[in-house]
Amino acid sequence: MKKFPDFVPPTKVAYLDRGPTLHVRRCTLAAVDRPDTTWTFDKDEVRIGSMDDNDIVLRDDTVSRYHCRIVQEDTGYVLVDLHSTNGTFINKVRVREAFLKPGCTIAVGQSLLKFGAHEEEVTIVPSRADRLGGLIGGNAQMRQIYSILEKIAPTATTVVIEGETGTGKEVVAQTIHNLSPRAKGELVVFDCGAVPPNLIESELFGHEKGSFTGAVMTRQGLFELADGGTLFLDELGELPLDLQPKLLRALEQREVRRVGSSKPVKVDVRIIAATNRTLEDEVRAGRFRQDLFYRLSVVRLHLPALRERADDIPALVNHFLKHQAYNRGADGTQRVVRVAKDAMTALAAYPWPGNVRELVNVVERAVSFCDGELIALADLPEPIREARVAPAPVAAPARASTGTTPRPATVQPRPTDGMIDGATFKDAKEKWVSSFERDYILSLLRKNNGNISHAAREADIDRKYFRKLMKKYEIEAGDTDEDE
């Protein structure tokens, strides 16, 4: 444990040469007249007052119901007086808002509290488990993430999950929630990119009857629905700039105002956010507020792309075959039980631009094409079949003691049907992806009798994006009778 006289870094994950470490920031408040009474917090905010719903309840007639609060910011802790009757003092100086220095004394009414803060640096040792909650895989990067999640889940720390689309950010949020003391509460999910901008405020904060056209009744927002639980903000980078200050206020004050109301509603919500954008770039481009970025970036996790942990693909495929409903017969038995070796090699060699979500869809497609209990190479889409030949092995250098000469690496010939002959890696990858996307869109449209809405829902992608892919490959809903 390290002590810092003036500044305590925020809770965060740092990736150092010796491996990832977790820096956990906590504050303590000790009653001066009761040395045996100490409170320790790792929360973003600590409320002090005489009411029972405060974090620290002081039975003192000179203490207001909601007297003051301590807010954890990126640069330290800030004490904020909540318009108390008798004021809040730091080292005998009355303050409205001021930074706290470890060792200072806070006077709340006639009660004296000594403030302390410290940082714990915890080295992340990869977990020995090959799964955690809904997360599957024994890759070293995933096992590091398991260890981090086990340490931060019991806290109230805000978490931002970064990674490409389809890497499983919502599964991580669900795992954090299930491992936290809030597991009995609700995990409320909100996709910032799936709701029209003019409705986002009402969705998040609620509205009063008659506050706008169509508001025929009072409605709670998602913050209120998640009270006592967790609110997962997916695709945070899509949040309109004009709504970001309202989200910031909700995070800082832990209260919301419904549209059309002037009365604040207190909420106790843990925030987990996810984005496939680089938020630093969004801040620099002026599309994301810097103060909101720092307020959210308490712990930031980066999920690896599936191509970076291809060794997990067999475990993921087997898990899908065992647990997904599409692989169950009418009697509930498992239809497909395993994957042929060459098919699994192809799955491991494919670059997976859609990550785990794409893998789920490909496995479902293969199950629907499969006639027996074994998924064969022919059951996979053509771009994946073309990836079945593994990269050439690189010969190990000879040991100095043997005096032998290293053998050159060899490449096994394979048919290319013009897909990669003379093409760069980028061009070949684009051709593979394009071929897969076209086959996949056609297959879904056939399966759903040309119904675009049903096909988009099955693919778990937005209907507008599905139409965009159809336009890209010049596919019409009536084209589904053509051969693949």
Side-chain angles (χ1 to χ4, degrees):
M1 182 183 299
K2 298 180 179 179
K3 292 187 179 294
F4 295 81
D6 297 304
F7 170 71
V8 181
T11 301
K12 63 180 180 179
V13 180
Y15 293 89
L16 308 174
D17 291 340
R18 65 177 183 274
T21 61
L22 178 66
H23 295 260
V24 181
R25 181 167 68 176
R26 293 189 173 94
C27 74
T28 59
L29 291 163
V32 173
D33 59 343
R34 290 174 289 163
D36 58 334
T37 303
T38 301
W39 298 270
T40 301
F41 299 98
D42 55 19
K43 299 175 63 176
D44 296 336
E45 179 181 289
V46 178
R47 289 184 174 267
I48 304 171
S50 61
M51 294 292 287
D52 290 338
D53 57 347
N54 286 287
D55 298 295
I56 296 179
V57 180
L58 299 176
R59 305 300 184 187
D60 182 341
D61 292 339
T62 61
V63 175
S64 298
R65 291 183 302 168
Y66 300 102
H67 198 103
C68 63
R69 61 191 178 99
I70 297 173
V71 180
Q72 182 182 154
E73 294 190 350
D74 190 61
T75 53
Y77 288 92
V78 176
L79 177 68
V80 181
D81 180 76
L82 300 177
H83 304 286
S84 62
T85 302
N86 296 311
T88 305
F89 297 77
I90 298 178
N91 292 341
K92 300 182 180 180
V93 177
R94 185 167 182 170
V95 300
R96 176 73 70 185
E97 183 173 330
F99 279 98
L100 289 169
K101 180 179 179 180
C104 69
T105 300
I106 303 171
V108 181
Q110 295 181 355
S111 301
L112 296 178
L113 303 172
K114 188 172 183 179
F115 174 78
H118 62 269
E119 176 201 10
E120 295 180 17
E121 182 179 303
V122 182
T123 301
I124 301 300
V125 178
S127 171
R128 294 183 179 181
D130 61 359
R131 63 186 59 201
L132 180 69
L135 298 167
I136 308 294
N139 179 272
Q141 294 183 73
M142 293 302 296
R143 289 188 289 110
Q144 285 180 350
I145 289 174
Y146 299 162
S147 292
I148 294 170
L149 296 184
E150 288 172 342
K151 289 179 171 62
I152 66 174
T155 72
T157 301
T158 301
V159 182
V160 173
I161 308 166
E162 299 174 329
E164 297 179 8
T165 298
T167 49
K169 296 185 284 292
E170 185 172 342
V171 180
V172 173
Q174 182 72 64
T175 300
I176 294 173
H177 176 74
N178 291 343
L179 295 176
S180 76
R182 298 172 177 266
K184 293 182 180 179
E186 293 290 329
L187 172 67
V188 178
V189 179
F190 178 70
D191 188 338
C192 300
V195 177
N198 61 319
L199 295 179
I200 291 180
E201 184 177 2
S202 173
E203 286 289 321
L204 285 176
F205 308 126
H207 63 255
E208 295 292 334
K209 180 180 178 180
S211 57
F212 54 86
T213 303
V216 296
M217 60 185 295
T218 297
R219 182 174 180 272
Q220 285 186 319
L222 298 182
F223 267 91
E224 291 182 67
L225 293 175
D227 189 37
T230 305
L231 176 60
F232 176 52
L233 301 175
D234 199 7
E235 301 302 341
L236 179 68
E238 304 292 334
L239 189 69
L241 192 62
D242 61 332
L243 288 177
Q244 292 176 21
K246 297 178 181 180
L247 175 59
L248 177 62
R249 177 177 175 79
L251 294 175
E252 291 182 337
Q253 303 292 334
R254 295 300 177 186
E255 62 184 29
V256 296
R257 283 191 178 93
R258 295 175 183 168
V259 177
S261 172
S262 60
K263 181 181 178 181
V265 179
K266 293 188 179 296
V267 291
D268 174 23
V269 176
R270 181 182 191 169
I271 299 296
I272 301 176
T275 178
N276 60 2
R277 299 188 181 187
T278 303
L279 290 183
E280 290 97 330
D281 293 342
E282 297 299 299
V283 171
R284 283 191 288 269
R287 292 187 293 267
F288 201 84
R289 289 177 61 101
Q290 187 177 47
D291 48 3
L292 179 58
F293 169 71
Y294 286 127
R295 188 66 183 80
L296 289 166
S297 299
V298 182
V299 169
R300 294 169 63 193
L301 291 175
H302 181 78
L303 293 187
L306 184 58
R307 60 184 171 275
E308 297 172 10
R309 57 183 188 106
D311 49 330
D312 284 338
I313 289 177
L316 288 165
V317 171
N318 290 327
H319 176 79
F320 300 150
L321 292 178
K322 288 180 180 179
H323 298 283
Q324 294 292 337
Y326 56 71
N327 194 33
R328 296 288 172 185
D331 58 354
T333 58
Q334 187 175 334
R335 289 177 50 207
V336 178
V337 295
R338 59 193 181 93
V339 180
K341 185 177 180 179
D342 56 350
M344 190 66 80
T345 299
L347 291 170
Y350 183 65
W352 297 108
N355 293 292
V356 180
R357 182 179 292 129
E358 183 184 2
L359 177 61
V360 172
N361 292 333
V362 166
V363 173
E364 180 176 2
R365 177 191 187 277
V367 169
S368 65
F369 276 62
C370 183
D371 293 327
E373 296 183 344
L374 176 74
I375 292 178
L377 184 64
D379 298 322
L380 302 177
E382 184 178 350
I384 298 178
R385 295 199 299 270
E386 289 297 324
R388 69 185 181 276
V389 177
V394 178
R399 297 181 181 178
S401 59
T402 62
T404 59
T405 303
R407 297 178 61 187
T410 59
V411 179
Q412 297 297 326
R414 69 177 181 88
T416 62
D417 67 8
M419 178 70 76
I420 65 173
D421 284 345
T424 64
F425 171 80
K426 181 180 179 181
D427 291 341
K429 177 181 174 181
E430 287 179 355
K431 289 181 180 179
W432 277 341
V433 173
S434 296
S435 178
F436 165 75
E437 287 181 342
R438 185 179 187 279
D439 289 348
Y440 184 64
I441 295 298
L442 282 169
S443 175
L444 281 179
L445 287 170
R446 288 194 194 96
K447 184 177 179 181
N448 290 278
N449 298 319
N451 189 308
I452 297 174
S453 296
H454 291 177
R457 189 178 302 115
E458 184 172 341
D460 194 23
I461 60 178
D462 185 76
R463 187 172 180 270
K464 291 182 179 178
Y465 182 65
F466 195 92
R467 279 189 173 277
K468 183 178 178 181
L469 288 175
M470 289 177 62
K471 183 177 180 181
K472 177 181 178 181
Y473 299 112
E474 299 179 348
I475 299 173
E476 298 291 339
D479 293 341
T480 54
D481 292 332
E482 70 178 52
D483 295 333
E484 273 195 307

